[in-house]
Amino acid sequence: MTVVGAADRPASPEARFNALFARHYPAIFGYAARRVGRDDAGDAAAEVFTVAWRRLGRVPAEPETLPWLYGVARKVVANQERTARRRLRLEAKAAVAPSEALAPPGTAGLEVEAALLRLGTADREVLRLAAWEELQPAEIAAALGCSANAAAVRLHRARQRLAGELNPESRP
Amino acid sequence: MNHDPFDTLRSRNPAPRESLPEAPMALATRITAGHPTLRRGLAIATAAAAVVLVAGGGWLIWSRTGGRPTVVGPTTTTTTVPETTTTAPATPADDAPTVVVYFLKDGALIPVARNLNVLNVRPLPDLGPLTMELLLSGPGAWDAAPLPDPVAAAEAELTTAIPEGTKLLGLTISGSVAQVDLSTEFAAASPEALAQVLFTLTRLSGVEGVTFSIDGRLQEVAAARLMEPHLVLAAAPGDPIVFAVDRADFADYLPPVMIEHPALGGTLRAGEAVTLLFGGGAADAILTLTAFDGTLLWNALATPDEPAYLPTEVVASLGGAGAWATLLAEARGADGAVLGTSQIPVWLEPGRQGEATTTTLAAPADDAPTVVLYFLDAATGAAVPVARDFSVLNVRPLPDLGPLTVELLLSGPGAWDAAPLDPPVAAAEARLTTAIPEGTTLLSFSLVEGTATVDLSAEFLSGDPATRNARFAQLVFTLTRLEGVQEVRVLVAGSPASPLDGEPGPLTWQDVDGLVPPTVIAYPPLGGTLQLPGIIVGGGFGRLALTLVDDDGTTLWSATVVGGTDCCAAAEVPGDLVDYGRWVALQATGLEGGAAGAAFEMPIWLEPGPPPETTTTFGLGDLQPFPPDMSAGCAPETIRDLAAFEAALAEGRRDLADLCAVLGVPDWITGSGLWIPAYDLADGSRLYLGYEGSGADGLIYANLVSPDGTVRDLLQG
């Protein structure tokens, strides 16, 4: 007769959450840091994982977990930026723009970042997801809530527009 | 630049992978002090203060006091203490979900309102600890929702004297005295900081005095400063009440005039008194209420003996709905000289006309807050109820459920900003449409005596007139689904509007019921939760075939239901279909009668109901069915002969395999740390065998729990 202890029962929600948290926190922190700066990234990441905990039953299984978390992070960051903009207006004092919160490495490629800022929000996000989060189109699709095909097309067009921003003559 | 700028972009990652921090597991522990969807109501009841942490959006607490190891343990909250008054620590009634905390403006105390409607946590946590946490967090830290502009502007001028990093270690309310225990940062607190805590706590109903402890050591308040008690009180050793201070002790710290009610950002209803506290020799005060465009609304004189009441017509002149205004109080000395002023933004509202009148809708009371919106099946035009779940924390709703619901309806299917819709829901919502023209905005919302008045922009009546009736149906279905709303008066740009061929006037559910093809499934809503055992309700009459299909295509359950002549078809779904929550497809086909020919499919979240009642004697986790693969050596049939079992114990038999031969296969297992098989006996009692480890030595108790709750350990004889 084998006596089975509590540890052999299905993983508790806490254990599942802790595993998910340990695996994906760095990536979500990085996502937030790239958009709102390191100072606020911790708050944003905490909020993302609070959502994940409260909706633990609906967090998709691997490998879709991280794209789903990116999708939540996108909304959280958007909310934080809205709040930050409100504060700026109200207090009418200079604040650090999100993209300046982290000193970029080196000085080369400033044109690329300037060009990135001139693109639309949707283009910017799809390019960042591909370049910085290193997501595949299918994962971008999960993060943005669109089909993989649409994500691939969006990425392609965004890359074209980025190139166009840098080479005005070649613009279609 | 010849190479692909995308590669340049890639090389300029501002937070490259190798620079990222490891996951701070302490944060995970703090987050899980809340509760996941599947364990609704478990953690929330036992760790109310931990919920504060989550409820504050994580944002509030983490941004101010990151790294705080504990907030307020459930043992230090007030409701668990027997002598606690029942009024103060109770969670706020849903019709007045506001607490008031005291900050400083130009060094003078000022009460500030915090609206709890935006906390998407129900039940609301204990009011006392929640209020203290909000006070310690400081002004402007209320990011559960954006503050309204006038309030945010006013809060930008506020400060706090409470030393940064001060933590709440405990709060007990005994009789009329609140005993607050704060961390060592507070030991050197200024008189203003003490006054902030004192005024905040004595604003709680029933609280008149406050005692201060630092890290568990009771302090004496002398000259408005904390000090270690310098004498032992022989008369009442250990009785902290003698150290209590009240507002009179801090009267010197009152400004010439303080507007006690309404608080900054709070609500002033027509007919209510403006309550003032006077200090510094002020004799009376002139009140001036000004609209934001500079219009003078009201002017009055208030004295300590005669408060001023806001006349009803002042609010009525604003159109009867709520509005922001500025309230200014000028304190005058006996000689008429102005001694000081106080100015705050306040929200004006019509008064309550009897019990039934309400101007705000309480947030949903259950712990799965959901509103239901009605969209249209793109194929048939039938109205489809759709669930919107508020348990997601980062939603930034308007504080009032009524306007929020209308806004969600106006934004159409698929639009939900809080978190990505789950894929089955997103796919189902893609098959929905709305008849409400794009660009329609909500101008105002009010609710009086069960009649909601909704004023929409002119776009509501634009576009194809053929869909006009469906718009009214969507709006009235959605709003009358809210508790407390019986009928809806629709205004467009201020003028009454009605469906085609309809009379302008309040519309009930029945008035619009025939305007669109009948709803196939009325409950649960699309994307909603069905907790088992539960009931599925059809919307139309006639015979309906219902099927629940798992995501792998398995049919979980099916039934044919028939609606009566006066009601809908309904079927009860048994409780044992699923053992964990998941999305399933609910398919409905109309067979005959009013629903004939209808075919409809939608996702619902199916989850097991609450576990069977467990005895609290052990508190060792939920009962799980005993796995059949662990019954080797057990008697094939359930015998449940208690006398034989006691005889076996008396012979010294302890091993479960051995005892199994006597009693049969256990029905349940439970335990955490211990391993506890359990037997249900014929008389309704239950026998728990507590095993600390495997083998004969492991049995540490055999508790027989009678239906009346009495416990007898058979091992003790």
Side-chain angles (χ1 to χ4, degrees), chain A residues 4 9 14 21 25-26 34 38 47 50 53-55 57-58 79-80 86-87 104-105 108 113 132 159 166, chain B residues 4-5 9 12-13 15 19-20 24 34-37 39 59 143 147 391-394 417 422 605 671 675:
Chain A
V4 179
R9 303 225 309 271
E14 285 83 359
F21 184 87
Y25 183 88
R34 288 164 200 136
R38 248 168 211 271
E47 198 165 335
T50 303
W53 169 244
R54 297 194 43 105
R55 294 174 68 90
R58 310 192 180 189
N79 273 334
Q80 281 199 359
R86 289 170 51 81
R87 291 231 177 89
E113 283 181 2
W132 295 348
R159 287 178 66 157
L166 289 163
Chain B
D4 188 344
L9 181 64
R12 293 184 55 78
N13 190 339
S19 77
L20 299 177
H35 64 298
T37 313
R39 303 179 94 206
W59 177 265
D143 270 346
L147 293 167
S391 64
V392 183
L393 263 182
N394 65 323
D417 197 30
D422 292 322
W605 180 258
W675 187 68

Side-chain angles (χ1 to χ4, degrees), chain B residues 411-511:
Chain B
S411 57
W416 177 230
D417 197 30
L421 290 171
D422 292 322
V425 180
E429 290 206 16
R431 297 192 296 268
L432 301 179
T433 181
T434 180
I436 299 173
E438 206 176 325
T440 304
T441 55
L442 175 64
L443 302 179
S444 78
F445 179 96
S446 64
L447 176 64
V448 176
E449 306 272 6
T451 302
T453 301
V454 181
D455 192 0
L456 299 168
S457 64
E459 286 88 350
F460 185 71
L461 293 180
S462 68
D464 185 359
T467 66
R468 176 164 168 164
N469 282 351
R471 298 168 205 170
F472 283 87
Q474 281 184 258
L475 191 62
V476 174
F477 281 158
T478 299
L479 282 173
T480 52
R481 186 108 177 201
L482 293 173
E483 201 171 321
V485 180
Q486 281 88 47
E487 51 185 17
V488 181
R489 180 184 287 118
V490 183
L491 306 178
V492 171
S495 308
S498 63
L500 296 174
D501 309 325
E503 300 274 320
L507 297 166
T508 63
W509 177 290
Q510 289 78 12
D511 291 333

Side-chain angles (χ1 to χ4, degrees), chain A residues 26-42 44-45 77 98-102 132-133, chain B residues 13-16 19-21:
Chain A
I28 293 302
F29 181 93
Y31 176 96
R34 288 164 200 136
R35 283 154 187 83
V36 297
R38 248 168 211 271
D39 289 349
D40 291 330
V77 165
S99 59
E100 292 165 13
L102 282 173
W132 295 348
E133 272 77 35
Chain B
N13 190 339
S19 77
L20 299 177

Side-chain angles (χ1 to χ4, degrees), chain B residues 232-237 239 242:
Chain B
V232 178
L233 288 150
D239 179 1
V242 293

Side-chain angles (χ1 to χ4, degrees), chain B residues 284-430:
Chain B
D284 59 22
I286 297 172
L287 293 173
T288 310
L289 190 67
T290 318
F292 274 14
D293 60 6
T295 317
L296 176 69
L297 297 174
W298 177 55
N299 221 311
L301 180 72
T303 68
D305 301 323
E306 282 189 32
Y309 292 86
L310 178 67
T312 311
E313 55 270 22
V314 171
V315 183
S317 72
L318 297 169
W324 284 107
T326 302
L327 179 62
L328 170 71
E330 276 180 301
R332 302 188 304 177
D335 56 356
V338 174
L339 299 177
T341 63
S342 179
Q343 180 175 318
I344 57 170
V346 296
W347 178 252
L348 302 180
E349 270 191 8
R352 298 161 188 269
Q353 298 150 16
E355 284 294 300
T357 304
T358 171
T359 48
T360 60
L361 276 169
D366 70 348
D367 52 13
T370 304
V371 292
V372 175
L373 312 172
Y374 279 78
F375 295 121
L376 305 174
D377 187 330
T380 65
V384 178
V386 176
R388 281 282 182 273
D389 177 0
F390 289 100
S391 64
V392 183
L393 263 182
N394 65 323
V395 64
R396 297 284 190 270
L398 298 169
D400 197 354
L401 192 60
L404 175 61
T405 304
V406 178
E407 299 276 7
L408 286 172
L409 179 68
L410 296 181
S411 57
W416 177 230
D417 197 30
L421 290 171
D422 292 322
V425 180
E429 290 206 16

Side-chain angles (χ1 to χ4, degrees), chain B residues 17-97:
Chain B
R17 212 171 259 200
E18 58 277 10
S19 77
L20 299 177
E22 299 233 329
M25 295 312 291
L27 173 59
T29 309
R30 289 213 298 278
I31 291 174
T32 52
H35 64 298
T37 313
L38 279 184
R39 303 179 94 206
R40 276 175 195 151
L42 291 181
I44 212 162
T46 53
V51 173
V52 176
L53 182 93
V54 177
W59 177 265
L60 167 69
I61 304 297
W62 282 310
S63 62
R64 292 279 160 162
T65 55
R68 163 182 302 193
T70 55
V71 183
V72 182
T75 52
T76 59
T77 58
T78 50
T79 42
T80 56
V81 180
E83 68 271 26
T84 297
T85 60
T86 52
T87 45
T91 56
D94 257 344
D95 62 344

